[in-house]
Amino acid sequence: MAMTQAPVTPKAARRQHDREIVALAVPAFGALVAEPLFVIVDSAIVGHLGTAQLAGLGVASALLLTAVSIFVFLAYATTAAVARRVGAGDLQAAIRQGMDGIWLALLLGAGVIAVVLPMAPFLVELFGASDTAAPYATTYLRISALGIPAMLVVLAATGVLRGLQDTKTPLYVAIAGFIANAALNAGLVYGADLGIAGSAWGTVIAQWGMAAAYLVVVVRGAREHGASLRPDAAGIRASAQAGVPLLVRTLSLRAILLIATAVTARLGDADIAAHQIILSLWNLLAFALDAIAIAGQAIIGRYLGAGDAQGARAACRRMVEWGIAAGVLLGLLVVIARPVFLPLFTSDTTVQDTALPALLVVALSQPICGVVFVLDGVLMGAGDGPYLAWAMVLTLAVFTPVALLIPAVGGGLTAVWAAMTLMMTVRMLTLWVRTRSGRWIVTGATR
């Protein structure tokens, strides 16, 4: 019987993995894309108030997005922990684990508010806001800070649902939040004549509405499975400890992006303008690849929680194939769309000419990026945070001297993006070595 099934079973397994990846990745991509649309809508509405207001929004948004990106580990760590419990068949413990992450998010959010409210003017000045833009940036930052706990709850609750193999609910909440944010911003900025403060309040209300929607879903699940909603000090502490390595990983990655931008700024106005265009595209491509990584976190965590090491390995192999295929496709799209893409952002031919070769480097690097995102998601799903932290610190150590040498040797923007490709290659090698070793495969409800 085994011999007659052997030719069929691998194909059936691949089809099952494909269905799981698509079911999780497609809604996840929609939710990821919806998030930056908040800033775009705010910019479009505030932009009609004046240049100073728009500049103030730009500074405050950069600060807020930086703060939130630092705490993205709330989603990553929670996804892995909850998925393991789901795989082990203990939904009560899975939701209890998720509640610990949500309580941690509320505590961190309260801490961020305590820092941002009194330090808002200093932070705005630190980010280089002009004298005319600074008052608007301070106003927006102080009001928007009140929404940070909600944003962090959204991250943690999104991790809970992803761990429960549900990426559709985050998509629906993201769409509803986007619509509410647009309507509230327009109404408060122009209808109530509150100016940039109206935009901030509209976003805060939308964010707390999203957090409330998530909490309703999680609380309903907790009651259904008899999970406690009360804060548990030991559980919150465990969630924080699991998140520390991922925080180190995220900070190292943010440092790489900041170094790349700082180096490019020294090359000239055309280079930094072109860099911003390419970086926006790179971030968009990252959303597509990150959707597969999110599927990887949920699927791998579930397999390991169920004690199925062979299934985890097979899922990993299939997701790597998906990552490579997605990278090749995205790279081809970048090459094909480049004559249309660049004029959308600038009519300056100097900027376009500067961006073109660097854009081709980005296109060629997409298959590498695809592997990196997938393996990153696999190791996150396995709860292998400490290795991810050390690997990213090593990558930062390799990238930094290479990037800093670029102006000294007369390199331009293409050299910067070649260095970025080197960075992704180092990441790929460190992640590949780990996955090949098998040390990430630790089965059971907890790692």
Side-chain angles (χ1 to χ4, degrees):
M1 182 181 297
M3 291 180 64
T4 58
Q5 289 180 347
V8 178
T9 301
K11 293 182 180 179
R14 284 196 298 271
R15 285 196 296 269
Q16 179 185 349
H17 290 145
D18 290 346
R19 285 194 297 269
E20 288 183 332
I21 292 168
V22 170
L24 291 170
V26 172
F29 175 69
L32 288 169
V33 170
E35 292 171 7
L37 293 179
F38 271 66
V39 177
I40 293 175
V41 168
D42 289 2
S43 299
I45 292 173
V46 171
H48 292 284
L49 295 175
T51 301
Q53 288 90 333
L54 183 59
L57 172 66
V59 171
S61 294
L63 283 161
L64 290 165
L65 290 175
T66 299
V68 173
S69 67
I70 288 173
F71 295 113
V72 74
F73 70 84
L74 288 166
Y76 294 157
T78 305
T79 297
V82 171
R84 275 185 176 269
R85 299 284 191 178
V86 169
D90 192 347
L91 288 178
Q92 182 186 67
I95 295 175
R96 175 65 258 180
Q97 190 99 41
M99 285 304 305
D100 292 335
I102 290 172
W103 280 111
L104 176 61
L106 286 170
L107 291 172
L108 291 173
V112 173
I113 288 178
V115 172
V116 170
L117 286 182
M119 294 190 65
F122 170 76
L123 293 171
V124 166
E125 182 181 355
L126 186 66
F127 264 58
S130 66
D131 291 340
T132 54
Y136 297 111
T138 302
T139 297
Y140 190 93
L141 182 59
R142 278 181 166 155
I143 296 173
S144 294
L146 301 177
I148 287 178
M151 296 167 76
L152 300 189
V153 166
V154 166
L155 285 175
T158 299
V160 175
L161 295 182
R162 288 173 181 171
L164 294 171
Q165 317 296 296
D166 176 10
T167 56
K168 290 183 179 179
T169 299
L171 173 61
Y172 300 148
V173 174
I175 292 173
F178 169 72
I179 294 171
N181 179 64
L184 287 165
N185 267 260
L188 294 174
V189 170
Y190 298 115
D193 198 26
L194 294 180
I196 195 170
S199 177
W201 280 117
T203 300
V204 168
I205 294 170
Q207 288 163 346
W208 277 106
M210 292 172 66
Y214 275 116
L215 289 175
V216 166
V217 174
V218 174
V219 168
R220 186 167 59 229
R223 288 176 175 169
E224 180 180 347
H225 296 286
S228 174
L229 298 175
R230 293 193 300 271
D232 175 66
I236 294 171
R237 187 164 54 250
S239 294
Q241 289 171 347
V244 168
L246 296 179
L247 175 61
V248 173
R249 168 201 168 275
T250 300
L251 290 174
S252 299
L253 180 57
R254 297 297 301 182
I256 288 170
L257 297 176
L258 287 172
I259 290 169
T261 300
V263 168
T264 308
R266 297 174 180 273
L267 301 178
D269 290 346
D271 291 271
I272 190 62
H275 176 72
Q276 291 304 313
I277 294 171
I278 296 174
L279 189 59
S280 66
L281 174 64
W282 196 73
N283 287 330
L284 178 61
L285 297 172
F287 285 137
L289 298 174
D290 202 25
I292 304 174
I294 287 168
Q297 294 171 30
I299 293 170
I300 294 297
R302 192 190 73 232
Y303 273 116
L304 294 177
D308 188 355
Q310 183 178 352
R313 287 192 184 94
C316 176
R317 285 194 299 270
R318 190 57 178 161
M319 280 182 284
V320 169
E321 292 170 359
W322 268 77
I324 294 171
V328 170
L329 178 60
L330 292 173
L332 289 173
L333 289 175
V334 170
V335 173
I336 293 169
R338 72 187 189 282
V340 178
F341 175 75
L342 289 174
L344 285 176
F345 286 86
T346 180
S347 57
D348 189 327
T349 56
T350 302
V351 175
Q352 291 182 18
D353 291 342
T354 302
L356 183 57
L359 198 61
L360 293 176
V361 172
V362 170
L364 290 172
S365 70
Q366 287 310 296
I368 297 173
C369 294
V371 175
V372 168
F373 274 83
V374 166
L375 293 183
D376 207 40
V378 166
L379 295 185
M380 283 185 188
D384 203 10
Y387 181 83
L388 289 172
W390 285 113
M392 189 59 78
V393 170
L394 172 63
T395 303
L396 173 62
V398 173
F399 172 80
T400 301
V402 173
L404 295 178
L405 278 174
I406 290 173
V409 300
L413 182 64
T414 303
V416 172
W417 280 97
M420 290 288 286
T421 301
L422 171 66
M423 177 270 292
M424 295 302 288
T425 303
V426 173
R427 288 186 69 188
M428 183 181 69
L429 292 174
T430 57
L431 297 174
W432 179 80
V433 167
R434 186 63 167 183
T435 52
R436 287 285 294 176
S437 73
R439 293 179 182 175
W440 58 280
I441 300 177
V442 179
T443 58
T446 58
R447 184 177 173 87

